[in-house]
Amino acid sequence: MFSIIKLILLTFAVASAMSNSAQQNDSLKFKSDKDAVKNVVERFLIAAGNYDVEAMPALFCKSANIGGASLKNGKWDTYTTTFEDFLDNIKSKENPKKYSEPVSEFTIFMEGGMLAFVKADAVLFRNGKPQSNNFDYFTLIKEDGA
């Protein structure tokens, strides 16, 4: 009887250790994926603020869309455009006013290692002066492993 109990306890201990190890590996993978998502968002915000059209294509798949909404003078302004049209719009601006948008807090929801929904809480700065608090939202989709 005690042998069966010992065997059951030993089996439980081994299964529990394996489960904890798998959870730690999953947790490390999840943290690594979250760090990669943060990196992509930060790289985009830096490139966008500097109007760096050379850096942006590496961050998007060819079929990407970009949309936005902003509240100005009590009225919402929204847009949706292809990534290509977004780049063309940036290229057409003469002497654009550069800005920075450092993120103070990320909220990231991930699904199956393929999809990330990101809320980035940031303050927009122009000429070193804070202009507005922004909540930027991103949907990132892994394509071809990247």
Side-chain angles (χ1 to χ4, degrees):
M1 179 73 170
F2 286 114
S3 297
I4 293 174
I5 292 173
K6 285 182 185 178
L7 181 60
I8 291 171
L9 289 175
L10 179 62
T11 303
F12 177 75
V14 170
S16 178
M18 290 173 60
S19 174
N20 286 339
S21 175
Q23 286 175 352
Q24 286 175 341
N25 287 342
D26 287 347
S27 179
L28 290 174
K29 173 85 172 107
F30 186 69
K31 181 178 179 344
S32 174
D33 286 347
K34 274 190 163 184
D35 289 344
V37 165
K38 287 179 186 179
N39 181 273
V40 168
V41 169
E42 288 173 332
R43 286 173 46 208
F44 169 70
L45 291 173
I46 290 167
N50 288 317
Y51 294 86
D52 185 353
V53 295
E54 302 299 320
M56 286 189 212
L59 302 171
F60 291 86
C61 62
K62 291 179 183 177
S63 60
N65 289 308
I66 294 179
S70 59
L71 182 62
K72 294 178 184 174
N73 300 321
K75 185 177 178 198
W76 281 98
D77 182 34
T78 63
Y79 71 91
T80 303
T81 187
T82 65
F83 177 65
E84 187 175 310
D85 288 344
F86 176 77
L87 280 181
D88 289 343
N89 184 28
I90 290 174
K91 290 176 188 176
S92 72
K93 295 184 185 233
E94 292 184 32
N95 300 317
K97 294 179 182 177
K98 293 184 179 184
Y99 62 91
S100 64
E101 199 173 353
V103 177
S104 60
E105 184 176 347
F106 283 95
T107 304
I108 302 173
F109 298 97
M110 298 187 72
E111 185 63 42
M114 292 297 294
L115 190 61
F117 301 98
V118 181
K119 177 184 175 189
D121 184 359
V123 174
L124 186 131
F125 289 86
R126 285 196 200 277
N127 301 318
K129 296 178 183 172
Q131 300 293 300
S132 61
N133 185 282
N134 292 350
F135 292 104
D136 295 322
Y137 295 88
F138 301 88
T139 301
L140 287 78
I141 301 170
K142 190 180 281 187
E143 185 174 88
D144 298 327

